[in-house]
Amino acid sequence: MFSTEDTIVAIATPAGRGGIGVVRLSGPSAVEIAGSLLRLDSPLQARHATFARTAGDQVVATYFPAPHSYTGEHVVEISAHGSPVVLRQIVEQAMRGGARLAEPGEFTLRAFLSGRIDLVQAEAVADLIDAVTPLQARAAFDQLEGTLTERIGAIDAQLFDLIARLEASLDFPDEGYHFVQAGEAGAALRSIESQVASLLCEASRGRLIREGAQVVIAGRPNVGKSSLFNALLRAGRAIVTPIAGTTRDLVTESADIDGLRLELIDTAGVRDTVDEVEIEGVARARRAWTTADLVLVVLDVSRPLEAEDFDLLRDTMEARRLVVANKSDLAAAWASGDLPAASVAVSSATGDGLEGLRIEIRAALEGGSPAALRDSAAVTNVRHAALLETARQSLRRASEAVDNPAGPVAEEFVLTDLQDARAALEEVTGKRTSDDLLRHIFSRFCIGK
Ligand SMILES: Nc1nc2c(ncn2[C@@H]2O[C@H](COP(=O)(O)OP(=O)(O)OP(=O)(O)O)[C@@H](O)[C@H]2O)c(=O)[nH]1
Ligand SMILES: [Mg+2]
């Protein structure tokens, strides 16, 4: 379906002016086409930067012969001065020489099709480019290095071995000999299943790294929600006034807490009101709590607790939350023991306690293991997580069949489930794949990658 017989060309550097700009050619005729547009004193040598002229610029061309190139094909990279006009001219000349304009991600697609990288690694390239925090970049880099590929490969190999032995038992039914005993098959299955489960366990942490978490600030009017929002952002983003009911709509901003990306959302103070705008603001605030990964429930420690404060604590009980006692710089009207939940004392005005709150936010999002995020998160991609879940369910069914108290179920049934599990794993790495899936994955890449 995807042709790799033609030679593709694209500007590989970002649009606009820059110090240098790179045009990349890949395909069987990359060298000939480059030769047609470059005036060279000597022919291009493999992996050597060669000075040359084009019609409109002085450039440096580098030739990477197949298969040791980014795409696995013959690649020529032409570094010119970073002028969009010059770069476009080079691309046009290459097209006159027979090259085709590359689709988004087509260079990486070719690297996948030529077997130089697998699908996980190809997706990691896009994740690395899109990363906005060092933690996201690190997780993508690990995947690019093949960490996940290796772990899935190891699981797949064990499955393959088990399947082969079960099939052998089927092929020689008259021998009365089983190449694998039920107990042995059960143990192997449990081990494989637990390896898949541990990958899945990393997936929820991985999602957090990749997509960031939504953290909503909730509370009654004037308790200092917008002040806390600004303090966590270290910027005067939201309007703060002594007037209750200042914030009317959701105010959203990205924040970065120790490399963990957050979408921080300030909301309208919750109260009964007849103001139509405020009523809508409160409704939006309530909806935001229910979808948040974490709710910061803000209370004002300088004012006596009222029934509405307890209502708020009750209304947010179902959510993952942290109770924040704000305005700790003022005289306290209540103590933390008066609340039905633990609380963190802060002053958004002075910054007191904010560092502790940041630590609590991270811990709450990471499920209580602060070190975990930094260590490893092999799975960050929802597509991978969904396929691993499918594999786990198939393995579960196979285990149950093997451990059946009424005697093990026939090999045929176990085999079907094991094959299903394998198919799911192979879809992660792209050993099995469809054109539609590839089209979908590579469409999120930039042109020239
Ligand atoms: N002393 C002191 N004052 C604070 C603190 N945090 C907020 N304030 C003051 O409390 C008032 C209300 O602050 P906001 O941040 O606007 O409160 P809010 O919860 O966003 O209020 P609404 O948007 O009306 O719901 C302002 O006068 C702030 O200066 C604090 O930690 N200490
Ligand atoms: Mg506000």
Side-chain angles (χ1 to χ4, degrees):
M1 180 74 214
F2 297 104
S3 162
T4 54
E5 275 153 32
D6 49 0
T7 297
I8 53 174
V9 66
I11 300 172
T13 37
R17 296 153 62 234
I20 60 166
V22 176
V23 173
R24 191 187 252 167
L25 276 158
S26 177
S29 316
V31 175
E32 292 75 53
I33 294 172
S36 75
L37 65 92
L38 296 174
R39 267 175 263 147
L40 289 159
D41 292 336
S42 56
L44 289 175
Q45 273 182 48
R47 289 179 295 282
H48 276 267
T50 307
F51 180 79
R53 287 191 171 75
T54 63
D57 198 8
Q58 302 171 332
V59 301
V60 171
T62 317
Y63 165 41
F64 302 92
H68 303 294
S69 70
Y70 181 70
T71 58
E73 306 175 325
H74 293 307
V75 167
V76 177
E77 287 183 0
I78 301 171
S79 303
H81 291 108
S83 146
V85 179
V86 167
L87 295 173
R88 266 200 300 272
Q89 278 170 354
I90 297 175
V91 168
E92 278 160 17
Q93 282 171 345
M95 289 169 74
R96 274 199 290 278
R100 169 171 67 74
L101 202 58
E103 305 281 335
E106 196 170 359
F107 292 95
T108 310
L109 171 65
R110 287 190 172 195
F112 168 70
L113 293 175
S114 72
R116 231 190 51 71
I117 55 173
D118 71 0
L119 204 50
V120 170
Q121 290 170 309
E123 290 172 290
V125 170
D127 287 347
L128 187 58
I129 292 174
D130 291 341
V132 295
T133 72
L135 213 54
Q136 289 178 320
R138 166 73 197 279
F141 178 67
D142 284 348
Q143 288 174 12
L144 188 56
E145 292 273 271
T147 326
L148 177 58
T149 304
E150 242 170 61
R151 287 173 66 180
I152 289 188
I155 296 172
D156 196 33
Q158 295 163 48
L159 256 178
F160 178 77
D161 177 64
L162 188 58
I163 288 171
R165 287 194 292 157
L166 283 169
E167 276 175 346
S169 304
L170 272 184
D171 287 346
F172 303 99
D174 301 335
E175 253 89 312
Y177 174 76
H178 286 272
F179 285 75
V180 52
Q181 300 303 314
E184 198 189 333
L189 265 173
R190 270 189 297 281
S191 154
I192 295 170
E193 204 187 324
S194 83
Q195 293 168 56
V196 173
S198 107
L199 276 176
L200 267 168
C201 190
E202 289 173 35
S204 61
R205 284 208 303 274
R207 189 189 71 88
L208 210 60
I209 292 179
R210 191 166 191 268
E211 291 165 23
Q214 267 199 353
V215 177
V216 169
I217 303 180
R220 297 179 58 205
N222 242 2
V223 295
K225 296 180 297 300
S226 301
S227 305
L228 178 64
F229 177 78
N230 289 343
L232 286 171
L233 290 175
R234 300 188 176 95
R237 171 75 174 79
I239 300 174
V240 169
T241 77
I243 304 162
T246 301
T247 308
R248 300 297 196 86
D249 206 344
L250 302 181
V251 184
T252 301
E253 198 61 66
S254 329
D256 178 338
I257 292 190
D258 292 344
L260 183 60
R261 187 174 164 211
L262 300 186
E263 196 185 7
L264 202 58
I265 303 173
D266 185 21
T267 62
V270 183
R271 66 169 167 184
D272 283 332
T273 166
V274 289
D275 183 311
E276 215 173 305
V277 179
E278 212 181 334
I279 289 173
E280 176 58 22
V282 172
R284 287 179 186 206
R286 288 184 179 276
R287 279 200 296 275
W289 309 345
T290 55
T291 57
D293 293 300
L294 180 67
V295 182
L296 304 181
V297 181
V298 184
L299 302 173
D300 183 343
V301 79
S302 72
R303 299 177 60 91
L305 291 168
E306 293 174 316
E308 285 87 347
D309 292 303
F310 291 100
D311 290 347
L312 179 69
L313 287 170
R314 198 198 51 231
D315 289 353
T316 53
M317 213 160 61
E318 299 279 288
R320 182 143 38 142
R321 71 174 180 191
L322 281 174
V323 178
V324 180
N326 188 36
K327 309 198 187 181
S328 66
D329 55 301
L330 301 178
W334 47 269
S336 59
D338 300 338
L339 295 179
S343 61
V344 190
V346 304
S347 165
S348 305
T350 65
D352 246 23
L354 281 181
E355 217 25 67
L357 178 60
R358 285 202 176 86
I359 292 169
E360 297 265 356
I361 290 173
R362 267 197 71 137
L365 289 170
E366 288 160 11
S369 50
L373 265 178
R374 223 177 314 249
D375 291 349
S376 109
V379 183
T380 56
N381 182 311
V382 272
R383 186 182 79 84
H384 303 166
L387 287 166
L388 287 169
E389 184 54 47
T390 306
R392 176 163 67 175
Q393 283 168 14
S394 302
L395 290 168
R396 187 95 289 259
R397 274 196 302 277
S399 282
E400 279 164 12
V402 169
D403 292 340
N404 192 354
V409 175
E411 278 97 345
E412 284 96 326
F413 295 109
V414 179
L415 269 170
T416 317
D417 289 326
L418 294 184
Q419 304 280 20
D420 287 349
R422 243 193 125 205
L425 293 180
E426 292 186 344
E427 228 181 288
V428 176
T429 54
K431 256 193 204 167
R432 273 177 222 219
T433 176
S434 70
D435 285 356
D436 278 347
L437 175 69
L438 291 181
R439 225 173 264 121
H440 174 74
I441 288 176
F442 286 95
S443 63
R444 57 176 272 254
F445 280 64
C446 19
I447 295 214
K449 192 67 231 181

